[in-house]
Structures are given as C-alpha cells and as structure tokens.
Amino acid sequence: MTTQWIEVEADYHQFMIANADVDTTSVTSTSSVFDSGSGFVVVHTGIAAGPVSVALEILDAAPAAVLDDWDNVSEAAIRSDGPLQVLTTLGDNPPGFEQLAGLGGGTYVLRIHTRGRQANWDMTVESPTEQYLIQIWPTKRVTNARDLRSTDGVWDTTEIAAPAVAFDRPSANVDDATVDLYGPVRWDPSESDNNA
C-alpha cells in the first residue's frame, strides 16, 4: 500500500477528524495523542500552528500494530453519525481525504500514529515537521482511548502526584488557611487601619 502524505494546517496545537457540526468539547476519553468523543477525535500536535503531514488508511479490519517506527500510537473507537472529515480548527476540510466520505455513519476505530511532535514544541512552522498516520476500520462497539505506545513526553496523560509536604500543622484545629501558610497569626485590633 502506498501512503500519500497530505499537509493539514494545525492551529492551537490541534486538528480534528470529526462529523460536521459536532461539539468537539464533549470529550469522553483522552490519550497522549488525542481527545475523543461521539463523532470526533481532536489530535494534539506539538507545534502551535503550521502544516503537519497526515496520511489516511481506511481498512476492513484491524491491522497488526506497528509501533517501533513511531513516537506515540493511540487508538479509540468512536460512533459517527455521518461521514468523518479531516478538519482544521476553523472548520476547513483540506482536499485529499475524500475517501472518508464513503464511510458513512457507524462505529470506527481510529488508530493514530505520531512522529516529530517534540521537535518544534509550541512553535509556528512554515513546513511540516510532524507526521500523523491515521488508520480507520469498522468495529462493533465504542471504546475509550488507550495508548499503545507513548515515548515523546508530549501531551503526557500520566498524572503527577503532588509531593508530600512534611511540616507540623499548627492549624490542626483552626479553620483559617492563613495559618497553614504563615503560621499562627495574632491580630491586635488596635493596629488595624480602621481604628486610626
């Protein structure tokens, strides 16, 4: 299979694969590569704005997962009420992805591979420095996003625990949070500006 790479304009660190007029803020699942919900996937780019290279493979069934050539690979199954489209944040549908229109409504797995997102983090670029391979095939049920590979550290979904702070809490029996921050405070009304 020959893979055709097409430039898609990313903006605000993203581009989308979605139904027309879907609310892409109704996120139900998150991975290191994208957020997903009913009828959409919002792909997270490393660049803030500029072109990225995107290839699309529409398949009849799940392919073997090829992970070693990619920084990150994530997948989710979403329900689509109509044809999916590759979209920019402004809603533009770049040419070259017409084969998506033939899918129609249904439930599909989207496996998205990324490469190069860390190279120009949060920058505006003039030519593509990131690649995204999107594989799509039909399935029977919706599934949450999951990372098959996550190595670039960009858009990491691992929660970082807050460090434990070891100190004596003078405020154990006090409701004022100021005590936790600054220690016990004595207030002398005669020192108040209102009593001058």
Side-chain angles (χ1 to χ4, degrees):
M1 173 185 294
T2 302
T3 302
Q4 179 183 4
W5 294 94
I6 299 168
E7 285 188 18
V8 173
E9 199 67 24
D11 202 7
Y12 298 100
H13 285 280
Q14 63 189 349
F15 68 92
M16 297 166 276
I17 300 103
N19 294 137
D21 301 323
V22 71
D23 177 8
T24 58
T25 63
S26 298
V27 174
T28 59
S29 187
T30 301
S31 74
S32 67
V33 176
F34 58 79
D35 295 338
S36 63
S38 183
F40 74 91
V41 167
V42 176
V43 180
H44 302 298
T45 63
I47 62 167
V52 296
S53 294
V54 178
L56 179 66
E57 295 178 355
I58 297 177
L59 308 164
D60 294 327
V66 177
L67 306 178
D68 292 339
D69 296 338
W70 299 94
D71 297 331
N72 291 52
V73 180
S74 299
E75 68 182 24
I78 65 168
R79 172 80 186 135
S80 174
D81 291 332
L84 292 168
Q85 304 172 43
V86 174
L87 298 169
T88 67
T89 56
L90 296 175
D92 296 332
N93 183 359
F97 300 104
E98 290 78 16
Q99 68 269 40
L100 278 173
L103 289 180
T107 304
Y108 299 97
V109 175
L110 283 81
R111 180 181 293 163
I112 303 178
H113 309 68
T114 69
R115 184 168 37 222
R117 293 190 307 172
Q118 74 280 21
N120 292 297
W121 172 254
D122 202 30
M123 297 178 71
T124 299
V125 299
E126 299 296 322
S127 58
T129 59
E130 302 177 23
Q131 291 183 321
Y132 298 84
L133 171 62
I134 303 167
Q135 296 175 316
I136 301 177
W137 65 89
T139 190
K140 296 195 182 301
R141 64 184 181 89
V142 172
T143 59
N144 286 333
R146 67 185 183 119
D147 289 325
L148 303 179
R149 179 180 175 92
S150 180
T151 63
D152 69 7
V154 177
W155 297 106
D156 188 5
T157 58
T158 306
E159 289 190 28
I160 299 170
V165 179
F167 62 90
D168 291 332
R169 280 192 63 194
S171 63
N173 295 317
V174 178
D175 292 332
D176 184 359
T178 305
V179 174
D180 277 340
L181 296 173
Y182 306 109
V185 177
R186 291 188 190 252
W187 178 65
D188 183 348
S190 66
E191 294 176 5
S192 173
D193 290 340
N194 294 334
N195 293 331

